[in-house]
Amino acid sequence: MLSFKLSITAAIVAALALFTYTEACERGLSWGTEDILGTKMGKGYVSWYWHWQDAANKYLDQRGLEFVPCFWGPKYQDKWNQRKKEMAHDLPKHILAFNEPEIPGQANMGPKHAARLFMQEIQPYAKKGVKLSSPQMVYKLDWLETFMDECDKLGCQIDFMALHWYGTHKDLTAFKKWISSVHKRFNRPIWVTEYGITSAAGASQQDIKNFHMKATTWMEQTGYVQRASWLGCFKVNSPPDSYASNKNAFFNGNGSLRDLAYWYIYTSGSNSKRDTIPHHRHQRSLPGMVHVPRSGVVHTDLDGATIIDDEDTFEPYQDIVECDDYCQLRKASIEKFEAKYGRLVDEEADDDEEATKA
Ligand SMILES: *[C@@H]1O[C@H](CO)[C@@H](O)[C@H](O)[C@H]1NC(C)=O
């Protein structure tokens, strides 16, 4: 009888695991612009957001989005100390660890030091039921491996892996490969907390939108990319830096939503049949779930605000770079790992003819 009960329990547990495993990827925001713009973006499929160092945005909170605090790294210890004070009375569900630790201009830490700091600053929240991320990586798999090994020794709890990706619109294959390599090697759910197209890719607005749609659809289909946040929370005429294309922007210069944002907020991945709108925002019905290409049209969003198709009035980029330094480092890093562990990537991750032929 006991074993019968156990096997039923096991079956239920397996069924539940299967269910959560196939849940579509939740769309989020890498926040970093005027808070008031949150009133336009915190809608539809967008269910969560993070800021790499700062506090929650009250407008996004009012809309019921989940805020995910982040410990950027030692350089912004003071900011983290403020987050810790806030978390003392407002415990988050998730915390994101160090921002690009393998990059000198970013968190810039050794993996063993990072593991010790993780234990000291982030691990204490595991006991309170908070889910914790790996450091947010750009390319360096052996850094991540050393960190994870050290973490095993020290007893960190890494619930999910957090990744960033920037590249060209022609490189959807490389995007998939980066994400699926980390999933295969570390066998945890993935959050893609920043991604976008580089300036040097020389992409048109339509190229960027196509990439954005395909990447989102693919992530939703993997079953293991739990969350993703496109780096688009800025006005098209004031990008945070020149590395990523300003055409990744969700906002026009006057703060109105761009077509890219409209797609992200209101349109499900073209092959996804599942309605992924979080329950708390089900009250209002959404426009058609299938993406219809539009041009030169003025639209109205659910709050009556005007949305105008993105114009592409920019000069073509002069020095197109197909695979920049980070892209090459990422490629080499994956190849090194494959030499060590065998092929890390599913066949279908390479099966992206449209993108490679484009
Ligand atoms: C905001 O900017 C967009 C893009 O330049 C433009 O089409 C639109 O008319 C502007 N809206 C307002 C209210 O000024």
Side-chain angles (χ1 to χ4, degrees), residues 252 254 256 308 311:
N252 286 311
N254 59 19
S256 67
I308 294 133
E311 288 168 27

Side-chain angles (χ1 to χ4, degrees), residues 46-338:
V46 179
S47 62
W48 69 280
Y49 70 104
W50 73 288
H51 192 294
W52 44 92
Q53 61 184 47
D54 283 347
N57 170 343
K58 70 174 179 192
Y59 300 104
L60 292 171
D61 286 353
Q62 278 164 11
R63 296 227 168 221
L65 272 73
E66 177 195 336
F67 173 62
V68 182
C70 172
F71 181 18
W72 191 92
K75 194 168 113 188
Y76 292 119
Q77 180 72 43
D78 56 333
K79 298 272 188 185
W80 175 243
N81 291 341
Q82 289 171 32
R83 301 294 80 74
K84 288 199 286 189
K85 277 185 200 149
E86 292 150 12
M87 290 191 288
H89 54 82
D90 194 4
L91 196 67
K93 292 197 177 89
H94 303 88
I95 292 175
L96 285 165
F98 318 124
N99 193 71
E100 307 188 345
E102 79 270 53
I103 307 289
Q106 298 291 326
N108 194 24
M109 310 159 79
K112 291 189 175 174
H113 171 220
R116 287 194 298 275
L117 194 61
F118 186 101
M119 280 305 288
Q120 181 190 310
E121 296 289 330
I122 306 178
Q123 180 63 28
Y125 292 92
K127 279 201 297 283
K128 302 175 198 268
V130 182
K131 301 280 185 227
L132 311 176
S133 90
S134 74
Q136 302 175 73
M137 304 303 295
V138 174
Y139 73 92
K140 208 166 188 182
L141 288 169
D142 50 11
W143 190 107
L144 187 54
E145 187 169 52
T146 307
F147 173 88
M148 295 297 278
D149 287 349
E150 191 66 13
C151 252
D152 270 352
K153 284 182 217 149
L154 300 177
C156 331
Q157 174 184 310
I158 305 293
D159 296 295
F160 58 98
M161 311 305 287
L163 303 177
H164 291 179
W165 188 91
Y166 293 97
T168 89
H169 56 292
K170 295 180 188 162
D171 240 353
L172 189 61
T173 301
F175 174 80
K176 294 175 179 179
K177 194 156 185 168
W178 169 232
I179 295 168
S180 44
S181 296
V182 172
H183 179 249
K184 272 269 171 74
R185 174 65 187 93
F186 300 103
N187 194 30
R188 284 171 173 80
I190 306 276
W191 288 24
V192 183
T193 48
E194 276 186 30
Y195 68 113
I197 303 301
T198 55
S199 299
S204 71
Q205 189 65 60
Q206 193 57 44
D207 290 334
I208 289 188
K209 186 172 170 189
N210 286 342
F211 180 92
H212 183 56
M213 294 192 295
K214 283 187 192 168
T216 304
T217 302
W218 176 75
M219 288 190 285
E220 287 175 351
Q221 289 168 346
T222 59
Y224 59 77
V225 182
Q226 283 185 341
R227 294 191 182 195
S229 52
W230 176 261
L231 194 93
C233 293
F234 58 89
K235 291 176 176 175
V236 67
N237 56 356
S238 57
D241 58 39
S242 58
Y243 180 63
S245 171
N246 63 332
K247 294 175 209 172
N248 295 320
F250 283 145
F251 303 105
N252 286 311
N254 59 19
S256 67
L257 287 180
R258 303 179 78 231
D259 190 39
L260 200 62
Y262 184 84
W263 185 88
Y264 198 57
I265 295 172
Y266 295 120
T267 313
S268 72
S270 49
N271 299 318
S272 161
K273 293 183 188 69
R274 193 190 309 274
D275 180 359
T276 57
I277 302 266
H279 282 297
H280 60 280
R281 279 196 300 283
H282 254 302
Q283 316 89 311
R284 297 198 247 173
S285 62
L286 289 171
M289 286 299 141
V290 177
H291 179 70
V292 182
R294 302 169 291 125
S295 67
V297 188
V298 176
H299 315 273
T300 305
D301 77 5
L302 295 177
D303 296 329
T306 303
I307 296 165
I308 294 133
D309 283 341
D310 302 339
E311 288 168 27
D312 201 354
T313 54
F314 304 93
E315 291 298 312
Y317 204 81
Q318 291 308 310
D319 305 300
I320 291 179
V321 181
E322 295 293 356
C323 187
D324 68 10
D325 291 352
Y326 290 128
C327 164
Q328 284 175 32
L329 285 165
R330 198 166 48 223
K331 229 177 184 171
S333 174
I334 293 170
E335 274 164 18
K336 192 169 146 191
F337 247 55
E338 287 191 323

